[in-house]
Amino acid sequence: MDKGLLQVVSNELVADRVYRIRLQGEWVNRKIVPGQFLHVKCGPGIDPLLRRPISISDVDQTEHTLDMIYRVEGSGTKILSEAIAGNQIDLLGPLGIGFPIDQRQKGERALLIGGGVGVPPLLYLARELAQKGVRVTSVIGFGEANQVFLEEELGSYGEVYVTTIDGSKGHNGLVTDLLNEQYGLDNNAWDVLYACGPLPMLRALQDRYQATDKEAYLSLEQRMGCGVGACLACVYPAAEGSDHSYYKTCSDGPVFELRKVVLG
Amino acid sequence: MQVELAGMKLRNPIMPASGCFGFGKEYAQFYDLEKLGAIAVKATTVEERAGNPTPRVAETPGGMLNAIGLQNPGLDHVLEHELPWLERFDTPIIANIAGTTTEDYVAVAERISQVQNVTALELNISCPNVSCGGITFGTDPVIAADLTKEIKKVSKKPVFVKLSPNVTDVVTIAKAVEAAGADGLSMINTLLGMRIDLRTRKPILANQVGGLSGPAIKPVAIRMIWQVSQQVDIPIIGMGGIQSAEDVIEFFLAGASAVAVGTANFVDPYACPTIIDELEEWLDRMGVNSITELIGAGWKN
């Protein structure tokens, strides 16, 4: 990890309040694991003061580019959405522990589950898994049709199921409803599960798959200060039996084995 | 760049502030910690503390609210793992100590002050984020002085008392702890603050209130150090929103003898070494031979 300055190639709206920013520079040549994030200084000066953690949604090391897909939520992401081609972005990263994929074997089946702005890191994950010959199925959920993104790109790597809470696109309901429909409660249709999305979705997945003996990983979000493990702002309690009493989302995660962390 | 305070010789007057640097491991990934004048490590309590529920941080213009709640691995762990790890660096360590009762503070002070690479103690009587201890010790001059006296009885190392800005008259507290034997002061800790989410209509921090740090509080720190440094004869480690060499100079002019950098580390992990380099350049450019000649120059004739 280190600080870097990357040049904005493009920054475009891809869904309601959701932008994809493409950044370019030699900095991208380093090893970047799917699920890792960048800590982004969204603007110069002291307001906003802190960096913003944003997941890496794709990497192209031949073009030295990386993409981040983010939703405008507050002043920082608003400023970031106004960056134009040629601007430079100050970032720190790649940070955190990403999705473990080293052990994946050709022919295995991976189930990727994403909700809202939790979907972006799944794209780079799907690409890396597909390159290993893993069969990828993505289940992605959004609030309504105008919030849907990455459906097509994820489709390059396997089946994609889309659901919206209001039913305006794809299936009607939550991703967990779709999982019931698609896989049933007693499912054997996958070997490993990777999920990223809002806390209630991750909680539901944890409840549901706690008892399975399959590998399952959740990518968590939490308000962060430093992004490197020093400030202790972004903690989650560790599950019983762990060698920790708490985990730092930024440096012990953001990806955790599904049974290791208490989502409260 | 060298400064001496309470018998401690620092190669430069810049140190990361307690609570903003962990025990150094995270930032050692970015640069050699021997570059630093000293390191004030995370507050340590007798028992491990889990801290407050999340969310623990919220942002404000030019500032940050935190309510970590003194989360730390406890004295035994710090003695066995954290401080020994820091031995590889030839950099003075200031151990910040906290507690719920006087006995807690004394227990930590007694043991941690015996550690070879601990150069001084920093008595945390100003944390606003814990329900017992912390700030309750720092807002009453008699209680603050009594605790300082007890710590001085057991400490083998100089004791700096970290003062809270959340008081009516900081000078009274400063004079009280000086009279009780404090070797120096650290000021200021965070200002008690709060933010409310417009959508949920509830406080953003799970603890409701938190400590405000960052550039937003710098004028308060400068004012308090200006007031206190004219009334005491012990050195002050100044802190509160330092982000640049110019900020450091302003703290010295107000009366600080060294400074601690806090929130800036979160924004830029290289904040401390960058400020050290810029400070050296600034002193050269301005023809200042020793930074010590700037201490209190803002109020001395």
Side-chain angles (χ1 to χ4, degrees):
Chain A
M1 86 185 88
D2 209 348
K3 271 216 315 171
L5 277 178
L6 286 180
Q7 191 162 324
V8 177
V9 176
S10 58
N11 192 13
E12 54 193 19
L13 191 70
V14 294
D16 180 33
R17 292 189 296 135
V18 176
Y19 290 77
R20 182 203 314 247
I21 190 166
R22 178 159 295 171
L23 303 170
Q24 190 172 43
E26 295 293 316
W27 189 92
V28 178
N29 290 354
R30 63 200 62 213
K31 181 176 164 64
I32 301 172
V33 177
Q36 286 189 300
F37 67 97
L38 299 173
H39 220 198
V40 182
K41 187 85 177 82
C42 293
I46 59 167
D47 187 18
L49 181 64
L50 298 175
R51 290 170 181 270
R52 300 291 190 268
I54 302 178
S55 66
I56 297 163
S57 56
D58 212 354
V59 176
D60 183 342
Q61 287 186 321
T62 53
E63 297 290 330
H64 312 301
T65 62
L66 65 80
D67 292 1
M68 294 185 295
I69 297 177
Y70 60 95
R71 187 165 62 206
V72 173
E73 292 285 354
S75 61
T77 39
K78 176 79 173 66
I79 290 170
L80 190 61
S81 74
E82 289 157 3
I84 56 169
N87 287 168
Q88 291 204 309
I89 303 290
D90 172 345
L91 49 84
L92 178 64
L95 297 174
I97 309 293
F99 293 108
I101 54 170
D102 287 349
Q103 306 303 316
R104 299 278 65 88
Q105 304 288 328
K106 191 174 178 182
E108 282 184 324
R109 297 156 304 172
L111 178 59
L112 277 51
I113 301 173
V117 279
V119 175
L122 301 183
L123 179 62
Y124 181 35
L125 175 65
R127 180 196 295 278
E128 294 287 298
L129 289 170
Q131 270 179 11
K132 283 174 157 280
V134 174
R135 288 157 54 197
V136 175
T137 302
S138 303
V139 176
I140 54 177
F142 301 89
E144 51 189 277
N146 66 357
Q147 297 169 2
V148 177
F149 60 92
L150 287 189
E151 180 186 6
E152 204 173 301
E153 286 96 327
L154 281 167
S156 315
Y157 307 112
E159 282 179 304
V160 181
Y161 296 92
V162 175
T163 182
T164 49
I165 292 171
D166 71 351
S168 52
K169 181 162 186 173
H171 297 252
N172 185 356
L174 302 168
V175 285
T176 38
D177 300 328
L178 182 51
L179 287 178
N180 287 341
E181 205 177 296
Q182 207 61 38
Y183 292 99
L185 282 173
D186 174 30
N187 78 80
N188 286 300
W190 49 272
D191 301 298
V192 59
L193 177 150
Y194 301 101
C196 184
L199 196 55
M201 181 191 101
L202 299 179
R203 252 190 230 123
L205 292 174
Q206 193 183 49
D207 289 347
R208 179 184 177 129
Y209 295 119
Q210 191 92 39
T212 72
D213 53 3
K214 293 190 184 181
E215 279 188 64
Y217 301 93
L218 307 178
S219 177
L220 307 185
E221 194 177 26
Q222 188 66 271
R223 276 175 182 261
M224 285 181 191
C226 67
V228 299
C231 76
L232 306 185
C234 63
V235 299
Y236 276 97
E240 236 172 273
S242 167
D243 53 349
H244 286 61
S245 50
Y246 63 90
Y247 290 115
K248 297 182 265 194
T249 308
C250 65
S251 57
D252 296 325
V255 175
F256 294 93
E257 204 279 321
L258 176 137
R259 298 157 194 87
K260 275 197 166 171
V261 60
V262 178
L263 298 182
Chain B
M1 290 277 276
Q2 282 187 355
V3 293
E4 185 171 340
L5 58 164
M8 270 194 300
K9 286 192 174 66
L10 310 187
R11 61 175 71 92
N12 66 62
I14 311 296
M15 67 185 83
S18 174
C20 298
F21 209 70
F23 290 92
K25 281 181 186 153
E26 289 78 14
Y27 290 99
Q29 299 171 89
F30 293 97
Y31 59 89
D32 182 355
L33 302 188
E34 291 197 10
K35 174 102 180 170
L36 301 166
I39 302 172
V41 294
K42 179 87 181 139
T44 299
T45 53
V46 176
E47 304 293 342
E48 178 181 2
R49 283 207 191 183
N52 292 323
T54 55
R56 293 176 168 188
V57 290
E59 208 173 18
T60 71
M64 165 184 152
L65 284 165
N66 91 80
I68 307 298
L70 293 183
Q71 176 172 340
N72 78 93
L75 179 60
D76 286 341
H77 188 274
V78 170
L79 294 177
E80 283 163 31
H81 300 284
E82 308 294 352
L83 294 173
W85 182 85
L86 280 162
E87 278 172 15
R88 70 195 66 195
F89 303 104
D90 177 26
T91 302
I93 304 298
I94 299 178
N96 186 293
I97 63 171
T100 304
T101 62
T102 302
E103 290 71 28
D104 285 350
Y105 278 98
V106 167
V108 179
E110 191 163 19
R111 288 179 64 197
I112 216 164
S113 74
Q114 292 178 32
V115 177
Q116 186 260 332
N117 64 331
V118 168
T119 315
L121 303 188
E122 183 173 64
L123 189 54
N124 184 345
I125 56 167
S126 42
C127 176
N129 296 323
V130 290
S131 54
C132 294
I135 200 168
T136 50
F137 280 91
T139 49
D140 181 310
V142 177
I143 296 172
D146 285 349
L147 183 65
T148 305
K149 265 183 216 157
E150 294 304 313
I151 299 302
K152 279 297 289 178
K153 280 183 200 164
V154 298
S155 176
K156 310 268 188 280
K157 305 283 167 62
V159 175
F160 283 72
V161 180
K162 189 164 182 177
L163 301 184
S164 170
N166 304 304
V167 295
T168 312
D169 181 8
V170 70
V171 174
T172 307
I173 313 254
K175 288 170 87 165
V177 299
E178 181 187 33
D183 299 283
L185 303 170
S186 297
M187 48 192 300
I188 56 176
N189 206 320
T190 54
L191 284 153
L192 202 53
M194 185 175 193
R195 281 205 62 198
I196 301 169
D197 186 307
L198 305 189
R199 193 176 48 82
T200 63
R201 302 183 177 186
K202 293 196 164 59
I204 292 175
L205 296 171
N207 195 49
Q208 301 190 328
V209 298
L212 182 64
S213 61
I217 72 164
K218 196 185 90 176
V220 180
I222 295 290
R223 183 264 294 179
M224 289 193 159
I225 292 166
W226 171 280
Q227 289 177 321
V228 168
S229 63
Q230 296 183 60
Q231 300 290 325
V232 300
D233 293 318
I234 48 177
I236 298 172
I237 302 171
M239 62 201 77
I242 292 173
Q243 287 211 307
S244 66
E246 284 80 3
D247 292 337
V248 176
I249 300 300
E250 196 174 344
F251 273 78
F252 268 74
L253 296 176
S257 297
V259 296
V261 176
T263 306
N265 293 297
F266 301 159
V267 181
D268 177 3
Y270 293 99
C272 287
T274 302
I275 290 172
I276 291 165
D277 291 342
E278 286 174 359
L279 185 61
E280 200 147 29
E281 283 169 28
W282 191 94
L283 294 173
D284 280 349
R285 201 168 62 240
M286 302 304 281
V288 177
N289 293 323
S290 165
I291 192 165
T292 55
E293 66 192 62
L294 300 178
I295 300 169
W299 49 263
K300 289 172 185 166
N301 286 327

